[in-house]
Amino acid sequence: MTTTIIYITAAIAEIAGCFAFWAWLRLDRSPLWLVPGCLSLALFAWLLTLVDTSHAGRAYAAYGGIYITSALLWLWMAEDVRPDRWDLGGATLCLIGAAVILLGPHRT
């Protein structure tokens, strides 16, 4: 898997898992929502271990930009709230930062 695919898949898993908890606590859904939520969060954590980097912190930091972008897509597609220019500008800055973290010439 390429890093981009791993990050996108991890973001979907994380958002789905977190939303399951949100639905249970804030939308009064059944506690059974926690089962797929926990499985989804475990999948998220496992996926991040597949990123080709020698340091976990760097993989997590670079993932942040992908997560923020995915959360804004969730806002738009699942909650029917269109991101505004500030959301899009912030996401762009985060993606640039993620690229610098992941692709920069780091010392080993």
Side-chain angles (χ1 to χ4, degrees):
M1 275 188 181
T2 68
T3 299
T4 303
I5 292 169
I6 292 169
Y7 277 156
I8 291 169
T9 307
I12 293 166
E14 184 179 16
I15 290 171
C18 290
F19 181 75
F21 277 79
W22 178 276
W24 170 56
L25 288 173
R26 302 283 300 268
L27 302 178
D28 294 322
R29 298 294 197 266
S30 165
L32 292 176
W33 277 67
L34 298 176
V35 174
C38 288
L39 292 172
S40 187
L41 290 172
L43 174 64
F44 152 72
W46 175 74
L47 285 166
L48 286 185
T49 68
L50 302 178
V51 174
D52 187 22
T53 183
S54 58
H55 297 90
R58 194 165 285 137
Y60 304 156
Y63 165 73
I66 302 298
Y67 178 78
I68 289 167
T69 303
S70 299
L72 291 175
L73 285 170
W74 176 271
L75 175 73
W76 189 6
M77 300 181 96
E79 298 182 63
D80 201 31
V81 176
R82 189 177 181 135
D84 63 24
R85 64 183 174 153
W86 299 103
D87 295 324
L88 298 175
T92 300
L93 286 172
C94 291
L95 287 172
I96 291 168
V100 169
I101 291 167
L102 191 62
L103 305 173
H106 303 286
R107 292 185 220 170
T108 56

